[in-house]
């Protein structure tokens, strides 16, 4: 297993299969929809099926035991089932998707080896959903969640980005997962540095505090420095002696990486862009490392180099100055850094 100079073992990889998406979410750091005609073979700027599998086989050599496929919308790749089927057996396979293509494919994905799925769902009202995603696919997303549950994926995590436009929807989303068996809620802190809209930011601690007041039980996950809250929905009101296993209790987790040095200190993933570049940090674009022609020796060399150069974004790459503000640490700013 490869370890960076900060003692962080790389145990997982996050592989983007495409930057195309059939949604145009207002908080996304990608621009435009790209080609959204539907699932198709890999495009010229995307890694081929064999490229993806070859990379995963090399990652497995270094004891990486988990892969998450993302996009864009990864289900716009027609070969997703084949990629999952050919993923090394030692790797747990998960998927982040907007859910619109899960109906009709969820069962095949599970048969291929998919173990977990995260479905993006930022609102429970069709108009609110459309305002955030610029999509009219609300009903299709609900169908996708049902298809995932019916295919045996349990739990199904709903991803909700929390910012000015969605913060008011959190209580009803908590009720929703509490009242629907097999669902969990993952609240993701809005990252203004990726979207350029700092005015949309909210204080995520307020969400933590509200959940703590409602929670039956709170768990702290040290590895990722995250908190999990077991919260009762409206069905649990008035019930004595609630536990995480009681009916009407849902699990809510917050992913809050912004200005969180502890979060970065516990990062164990390397990312791969759809074009076949390795990167050690989601927030950086100056640490991209090409894998050449994607031969195994080239992949091994690039993988070792990227891990060796991984730096925690907050606490090392970004450091606090005398005024308590985050600023770039010149020691880690590369030749092509985007300042």
């Amino acid at each position: 297993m490869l370890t960076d100079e900060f003692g962080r073992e790389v145990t997982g990889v996050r592989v983007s299969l495409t930057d195309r998406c059939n949604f145009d979410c207002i908080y996304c750091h990608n621009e435009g929809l790209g080609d959204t005609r539907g699932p198709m073979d890999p495009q010229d700027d995307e890694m081929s099926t064999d490229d993806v599998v070859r990379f995963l086989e090399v990652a497995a050599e270094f004891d990486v035991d988990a892969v998450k496929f993302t996009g864009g919308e990864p289900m716009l790749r027609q070969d997703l089932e084949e990629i999952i089927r050919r993923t090394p057996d030692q790797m747990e396979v998960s998927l982040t998707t907007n859910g619109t293509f899960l109906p009709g494919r969820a069962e095949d994905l599970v048969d291929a080896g998919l173990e977990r799925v995260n479905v993006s769902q930022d609102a429970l009202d069709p108009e609110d959903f459309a305002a955030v995603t610029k999509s009219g696919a609300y009903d299709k997303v609900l169908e996708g969640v049902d298809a995932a549950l019916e295919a045996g994926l349990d739990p199904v995590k709903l991803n909700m980005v929390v910012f000015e436009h969605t913060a008011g929807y959190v209580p009803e989303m908590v009720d929703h997962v509490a009242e629907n068996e097999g669902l969990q809620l993952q609240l993701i802190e809005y990252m203004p540095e990726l979207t350029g809209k700092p005015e949309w930011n909210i204080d995520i601690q307020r969400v933590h505090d509200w959940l703590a007041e409602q929670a039956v039980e709170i768990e702290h996950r040290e590895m990722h420095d995250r908190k999990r809250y077991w919260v009762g929905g409206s069905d649990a009101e008035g019930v004595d002696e609630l536990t995480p296993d009681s009916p009407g209790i849902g699990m809510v987790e917050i992913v809050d990486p912004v200005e969180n040095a502890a979060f970065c200190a516990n990062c164990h993933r390397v990312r791969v862009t759809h074009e076949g570049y390795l990167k050690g940090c989601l927030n950086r674009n100056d640490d991209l490392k090409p894998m050449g022609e994607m031969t195994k020796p080239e992949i091994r060399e690039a993988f070792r180099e990227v891990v060796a150069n991984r730096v925690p974004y907050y606490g090392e790459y970004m450091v606090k100055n005398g005024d308590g503000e985050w600023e770039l640490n010149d020691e880690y700013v590369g030749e092509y850094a985007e300042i």
Side-chain angles (χ1 to χ4, degrees), residues 13-15 66-70 92 94-96 116 118 269:
V13 290
R14 187 179 180 102
V15 180
V67 56
K68 181 180 284 292
F69 294 114
T70 69
E92 178 189 63
S94 59
L95 175 73
T96 295
R116 295 189 295 109
N118 292 49
R269 277 184 178 163

Side-chain angles (χ1 to χ4, degrees), residues 154-302:
D154 185 8
V156 172
K157 286 189 177 182
L158 302 184
N159 282 0
M160 178 183 184
V161 178
V162 182
F163 64 120
E164 184 181 80
H165 295 67
T166 62
Y169 309 152
V170 170
E172 61 181 341
M173 191 66 80
V174 171
D175 279 350
H176 179 65
V177 299
E179 295 163 7
N180 289 274
E181 187 176 355
L183 298 183
Q184 295 180 355
L185 180 61
Q186 187 163 261
L187 301 176
I188 301 173
E189 184 179 15
Y190 172 69
M191 302 178 72
E193 61 264 48
L194 297 183
T195 60
K197 295 281 188 178
E199 65 272 19
W200 289 354
N201 196 34
I202 68 162
D203 181 5
I204 199 68
Q205 186 58 45
R206 291 168 49 201
V207 183
H208 275 290
D209 293 344
W210 181 81
L211 287 170
E213 291 175 359
Q214 315 297 318
V216 171
E217 185 173 310
I218 302 172
E219 175 193 358
H220 180 247
R221 301 175 66 197
E222 291 186 5
M223 178 176 175
H224 300 288
D225 192 43
R226 297 182 189 175
K227 287 184 177 178
R228 284 177 167 175
Y229 302 88
W230 275 265
V231 181
S234 56
D235 286 354
E237 292 179 5
V239 179
D240 295 330
E241 298 184 12
L242 289 169
T243 71
D245 296 324
S246 299
I249 299 295
M251 195 282 279
V252 184
E253 184 174 20
I254 294 184
V255 181
D256 51 355
V258 180
E259 299 188 4
N260 186 347
F263 186 98
C264 293
N266 286 278
C267 176
H268 296 273
R269 277 184 178 163
V270 162
R271 287 166 168 80
V272 186
T273 74
H274 69 283
E275 297 168 305
Y277 288 85
L278 290 166
K279 58 185 307 192
C281 177
L282 174 65
N283 283 9
R284 294 177 60 183
N285 289 312
D286 62 336
D287 64 344
L288 292 170
K289 177 68 177 176
M291 290 187 278
E293 298 299 317
M294 300 290 294
T295 65
K296 284 193 173 182
E298 289 173 318
I299 296 170
R300 290 188 193 101
E301 180 182 357

